[in-house]
Amino acid sequence: MKGNQYDVIIVGAGIAGLKAASVLAKYDLKVAIIDENPFLGGQYLRTLPENFKNKLLKFKTSVKKEGLKLIDELKNSTNIKIFRNSTVVGVYEGDKLLFDREGKSELIYYKKLIISTGAREKYLPFPGWDLPGVFSLGAVQVFLKSNGILPAEEIVLAGTGPFLYAVAYEILKAGGKVKGIYELKRFKEQIAFSKGLLDFPGKLIEAFVYLEEILSNHVPIKYGWRVLKAEGDDSVRRISVGKIGKDGEVIEKSIKNIKTELLAIGFGFVPNLEVARSAGVNIIYDETLGGWIVNTDERLMSSNKNIYACGEITGVGGAEKSQIEGELSALALLDSLNLLDNSGKNKIQKLIKKRKKAIKYSKCFNTVFSVPLEFYKNIEDDTVICRCENISMKKIREAIEIGPSDMNFVKTFTRAGMGNCQGRICGPIIENIIKSFEGKSPHPPTMRKPIKPTLIGNLKKFYEEEIKSD
Amino acid sequence: MKNYDAIIVGGGIIGLATGFYLSKFGKKVLVIEKRYPGAGSTGRCIGGIRQQFSTSGTIQLARESLNLFKELEKEFGFSVEFYQGGYLLLAHTEEQKSIFLKNIEIQKSFGINVEFISAEDIKKQFPYVNTEGLLGGAFSPEDGQAFPFLVLKGFIKGITKNGGEILTETEVSSLIEQNGKIEGVKLSDGKIINSEIVINAAGPWAKELSETVDIELPFAPERHEAFITVKIKKFEPIIPMLVDYRKDGCYFNQRINGQIIGCYTPVPNYPGKSTKETFEFLYEMSRRTARLVPTLEKVHVLRQWAGSYTMTPDGNPVIDKTEIEGYFVAGGMSGHGFMLGPATGKLLASLIAEDKFYINMSEFSLKRKFQSKELLK
Ligand SMILES: Cc1cc2nc3c(=O)[nH]c(=O)nc-3n(C[C@H](O)[C@H](O)[C@H](O)COP(=O)(O)OP(=O)(O)OC[C@H]3O[C@@H](n4cnc5c(N)ncnc54)[C@H](O)[C@@H]3O)c2cc1C
Ligand SMILES: Cc1cc2nc3c(=O)[nH]c(=O)nc-3n(C[C@H](O)[C@H](O)[C@H](O)COP(=O)(O)OP(=O)(O)OC[C@H]3O[C@@H](n4cnc5c(N)ncnc54)[C@H](O)[C@@H]3O)c2cc1C
């Protein structure tokens, strides 16, 4: 086998990809794992700088502990080639995978591909959401964990879902102050979720640890409240929040202004489908699993028999689900190569069952913490939707009135999503806006390569390489 | 049941321009589009506009179209990002140079502002161009660019304003003919919509659609790929459409928002309606682009895609009526459908509404012999 050819390539070294790699490492296969981050572990395990380690990692979930162990094992494994700082920019016909690493483009070949590219955050726009000083929850986490500093002394958190508490916990542990947490959903609505937690004791413990920290610091938590706007000349200075009434409208007299220099928002996650779509595998829409997801069989094989998908991209569900699926996809792949003995085959059956439970929980979770569609429908006309091209709600609405419920049409008619981020942020927002008007989920936009912009000067060298290999 | 004066199949530049100019004649039009406006070739084109063609018919059509592009902003009430940055056709061989010189003579006889400029002058005027091996080029400062989606948007809004309708996500499965006259169209859900005039502007799919009434169209789609870069600072002057006619040539320009956009004609060609993008195009286009303007090496490709050129044997379109009364065709637009779109639409509208073309369109008749060849692809 040539140097740039692999039996299996795994894209994404989050919990799912790591787990898959650890299973494959025990076999006589040439495996590569690629991640765009400088560290292994993905969103959940984001490794910490030295000065923070002690404070933040005092509390580790079992998934975290195992993940950290896997990272150590992997670093010492000789079967597995690790590519860090490596962004996959396209999967092309001929089982080719193009990636950029440290300013250079490289091409590698696979026989089987496992895609585990995780999820990213979702947004609900409001006036001022594009101001400096409005962060996503994830961005606050990156600040804390990767840069090792607090982005501001006092932070207000708003949005929906338990990620609010995880980030509040981390801010508090790092010595910061949380001025308030505003959760969209009413307390009552969350009961279904807490019942689901009983199946996952690990998650329940995690929730308690977070809540204890939050409550003992007397952080006010408001349920059924939302951010209405953020204001300030060059950066956020104050925000308005209000209580949502029974009719879904904000109760006028509840509205209050809060002074803050940092607002962190989080409205859930959407799968990162770029790599999977660039490989041409089928996707399906399931609102309860985060929207568009990779369509797989119960063994996580995609519509292409050489490509498996695992983790958030088959349904947003959190760390445990990713862990189960990482293992399942690797075993199923091994089985397809006739490399499994009976105990391996039995393990597959067990994991399929475990996965069903995890999916059930995910569906409940995503339903409880979903943002009501009216909130998208009622976005004000001048609110910016696409930040790269500066496209307002008014323009989006006009496109929806004229054309079909096709994301491609809205994109071409308004230019939203054509900028440098290629719709990564505004895409899911526009999808929800269209849905809120038309009552059905729109056609997803066509996926275009490269997944991230890539240098002309680097690409031209493949002319010689490809000619030689012919 | 509503009555339509004309039904247009296809929401690309041709269908929408025709619909727009027909609606200006007071006709009630219905445009039927199987996906969304721009879903076919038009949404995949790179927006180049030129008058540098090689025959009297194409030159006049292109000239009429350029004049219409100039008026679109006023017509629509918003800019379509029309900009005259020029086309510079490059000659790397004596043969190419003599073709250009011959064409320039014809073009000038129609009053087009075009000159052959030497390699040294190219270096002076466009210092970023690599003139190695270059003998010179044909340059017209009147040629340029517009943003296809804004042009479509203007036509769409115009059609609705003038009382026309656009049906999207609706596919025509066949045309309906009775005793030599067109009667309407049948949709894939079985529904029938009647009209005495039907225009086939279905782009790469026009040939199959026409077969449903046994009218043969000499159309053959081919795949063409393109790429666009991130926005960069505008070159001084902005990069005109550089057309490299070498076997491994390419063409690209800088859009007025700063992006570089371009494509190449694959050799050999790639027949069929596939719109799958390739790795080969990505690196080849990169190599060819950087060879012409070396500083572009430092620019990032934002996205790549593929679309169709609907070819005819002589490289020129068909804009004509057919043997079936009331059935019209505008297609086979090759790589010029966008630039020729406004004029094609307006001329076809005048043929339908007034029973005559206002310029000589014999080069685009369906019954022509398809022998000559447009030299400037
Ligand atoms: C900001 C954020 C914070 C989260 N915090 C929590 C939390 O506190 N608790 C919790 O249970 N869940 C959290 N989640 C959910 C989280 O996605 C899952 O818990 C779990 O980490 C998912 O594992 P995964 O392996 O599927 O994906 P990830 O952990 O997301 O891993 C995917 C990996 O793929 C890589 N990747 C993606 N695209 C490319 C590409 N083109 N080229 C190369 N590499 C690529 C990424 O760099 C990443 O490392 C969070 C999610 C996000 C987005
Ligand atoms: C990469 C590339 C670059 C190009 N660059 C340029 C350029 O710089 N300048 C230029 O002038 N030209 C350029 N072109 C060519 C130009 O794009 C085409 O000539 C032009 O868009 C053709 O327009 P059209 O309306 O005939 O076809 P299309 O735009 O394809 O429109 C036809 C429409 O009909 C619809 N349709 C088809 N069948 C049916 C049916 N049965 N029922 C309902 N609807 C149907 C389709 O969905 C489609 O939207 C380029 C093309 C490509 C691919």
Side-chain angles (χ1 to χ4, degrees), chain B residues 347-363:
Chain B
L347 278 146
L348 194 59
S350 78
L351 179 68
I352 292 165
E354 303 180 319
D355 202 27
K356 61 171 198 292
F357 284 128
Y358 57 91
I359 58 179
N360 184 342
M361 297 281 279
S362 56
E363 280 183 31

Side-chain angles (χ1 to χ4, degrees), chain B residues 21-92:
Chain B
Y21 290 107
L22 264 179
S23 74
K24 285 185 67 167
F25 275 111
K27 302 285 179 194
K28 186 165 171 56
V29 302
L30 172 70
V31 180
I32 305 178
E33 164 55 50
K34 66 175 170 180
R35 291 187 61 202
Y36 60 91
S41 303
T42 308
R44 298 158 196 267
C45 88
I46 66 166
I49 300 168
R50 67 178 152 94
Q51 300 180 94
Q52 299 189 62
F53 280 87
S54 64
T55 64
S56 70
T58 42
I59 293 170
Q60 288 180 77
L61 187 63
R63 168 159 217 157
E64 170 68 2
S65 222
L66 184 79
N67 289 333
L68 292 171
F69 270 112
K70 286 183 189 161
E71 288 168 15
L72 289 183
E73 175 160 2
K74 224 167 70 206
E75 185 104 52
F76 296 162
F78 56 82
S79 158
V80 296
E81 296 181 1
F82 172 68
Y83 180 76
Q84 292 176 292
Y87 258 64
L88 175 58
L89 317 185
L90 301 170
H92 286 91

Side-chain angles (χ1 to χ4, degrees), chain A residues 92-93 449 454 460 463, chain B residues 157 276 284 297 301 304:
Chain A
Y92 288 90
E93 213 163 287
K449 286 172 235 191
T454 180
K460 60 174 207 180
Y463 170 66
Chain B
K157 287 184 145 186
K276 206 176 169 68
E284 266 297 286
E297 282 207 351
V301 179
Q304 67 169 128

